[in-house]
Amino acid sequence: MGHDDKKGSGDDSTASALKQKQLEDWLPVTASRNAKWWYSAFHNLTAMVGAGVLSLPYAMAHMGWGPGIIVLILSWIITLYTLWQMVEMHEREPGGKRNDRYHELGQEAFGEKLGLWIVVPQQLLVEVGTCIVYMVTGGKSLKKVHETFCPECNQIRTSYWIIIFASLNFILVQLPNFNSVSGISFAAAVMSITYSIIAWVASVKKGVIADVDYSIKSESTSDSVFHFFSALGDVAFAYAGHNVVLEIQATMPSTPEKPSKVPMWKGCVWAYIGVAICYFPVAFIGYYVFGNSVDDNILITLQRPPWLIGMANLFVVIHVVGGYQVFAMPVFDMIETFLVTRLNFQPSTILRIITRSLFVGITMLVGICIPFFGSLLGFLGGFAFAPTTYFLPCIIWLKLKKPKKYGLSWTINWCYSFITSTTFFGFSPQTLPSASPRKEHFLSLILIVYSLSRLRSIGSLFGTSVLNIGAVCEN
């Protein structure tokens, strides 16, 4: 009898492992593991250089020259460091267990339940929020292209342009996995570099405007402080690739001799070179030319030459189409995993078509009801992009790697965690708990306090959205 029980248990374990393998082969993140290092380069560049680059001169207008330059350069350095951490933590040992998703890394650090609660809400907010922002950006850019090349034509509402942009995504989201969108992602990466170059070259050609003003754009001290932190949110939004980096690395082959971190990191370095080429000239030259009169999208401020600005907006459309696919893919992975493992749906093409089409429809409707581009960037940047990009990787690194106390790695990660959390979320030293013997309690508490402190922001955004729905629909 005992022998039969063991045999039955072994058969159940084998069946469960086979079922899990079949599921992993179907899910979009893990279905294909034959990506090359250059896939990492343009996936990360597409995820990083997005609509946020166009708002950087506007962020500079609220920070000024000194703080603006420091924040942008430090953000580039810090996020490159935290990106390296995540690439390193994808596999604890070469060829060993892989953390293919951000929440899996969180679960390894904080436990099965707490890891999910810490990572998943913020990651979903980042990815779904970015898709909504890209809906708005794509619609507005299409409208700008239409107005530029056909000024005599009847004007079409922004909401209709968002629907037109969404119709393309209804088709493209049916591509099954990350590697299947690599061509779109490559085109999007090229477009992001192109329209960034157009933005700063057109600014140089236009020349510094008359009576340019570089003073902080505000009406009062409180207004100045509010807009400064909003600008920090814009900067945080501009460095968004961390939320999909583990999912991108999951598409790469890995062996003990050549772990996935080798090609992944090579691609990340090239991507960050592209980020620097795009971000710094747009931010500094755009602010230098227009001062604090720049709009939250520099392409709106630029009016001449019309054909060039029209082309730049068309490139933006192509880029956000690719960016939408990159940020939506991990969301599809979560939804499809939940439907199959928790609700017992069978993996199928029909299930994929229905769920992905519903997702595009929802992001389209929200984008139509919340078309204020600049406000979304600041909110999303401050609320979710900052923790998942700036200090959550440091906290997980401290938890998993356990560097020597007061050593270089320990000091850098604690400093980054403290500085970025206090800077982006307005914490003061008095509100942070004192150190306890078990540092992991403090690490988790930072995230919990952060989440509670931002609930008011969610309510504020929701209230503003409801108040604007009627006016938006009328327009």
Side-chain angles (χ1 to χ4, degrees), residues 150-331:
C150 190
E152 311 86 18
C153 299
N154 293 330
Q155 299 300 307
I156 301 176
R157 295 178 185 175
T158 303
S159 56
Y160 294 155
W161 287 114
I162 294 175
I163 293 172
I164 293 171
F165 178 79
S167 64
L168 179 59
N169 286 293
F170 275 114
I171 299 171
L172 294 179
V173 295
Q174 305 308 328
L175 293 170
N177 54 58
F178 253 122
N179 285 344
S180 64
V181 301
S182 57
I184 300 171
S185 183
F186 173 74
V190 173
M191 292 300 102
S192 64
I193 295 175
T194 304
Y195 70 68
S196 298
I197 292 174
I198 289 175
W200 68 261
V201 169
S203 298
V204 170
K205 184 175 178 60
K206 187 178 184 69
V208 180
I209 63 173
D211 301 321
V212 63
D213 185 5
Y214 298 118
S215 60
I216 303 298
K217 190 176 182 179
S218 63
E219 297 177 359
S220 63
T221 302
S222 59
D223 187 57
S224 177
V225 172
F226 173 82
H227 282 105
F228 180 84
F229 280 98
S230 178
L232 290 178
D234 291 344
V235 173
F237 183 90
Y239 292 94
H242 294 59
N243 292 277
V244 294
V245 66
L246 291 179
E247 286 81 356
I248 293 171
Q249 191 169 350
T251 66
M252 306 226 162
S254 184
T255 63
E257 296 75 25
K258 190 176 182 181
S260 61
K261 67 181 181 181
V262 176
M264 182 67 185
W265 179 240
K266 183 178 180 180
C268 289
V269 170
W270 280 101
Y272 254 73
I273 292 172
V275 168
I277 292 172
C278 294
Y279 282 15
F280 298 143
V282 172
F284 301 151
I285 295 175
Y287 181 53
Y288 175 73
V289 170
F290 297 106
N292 60 20
S293 64
V294 69
D295 291 296
D296 63 352
N297 183 336
I298 192 173
L299 294 181
I300 296 175
T301 310
L302 289 165
Q303 300 294 332
R304 296 287 186 275
W307 67 269
L308 186 62
I309 305 307
M311 290 300 296
N313 278 282
L314 183 59
F315 295 156
V316 171
V317 173
I318 297 172
H319 172 262
V320 294
V321 166
Y324 190 97
Q325 313 313 313
V326 170
F327 277 98
M329 202 62 74
V331 181

Side-chain angles (χ1 to χ4, degrees), residues 119-138:
V119 176
V120 171
Q122 296 183 84
Q123 188 181 15
L124 279 177
L125 184 59
V126 167
E127 291 164 351
V128 176
T130 301
C131 289
I132 294 170
V133 170
Y134 281 179
M135 276 286 179
V136 177
T137 307

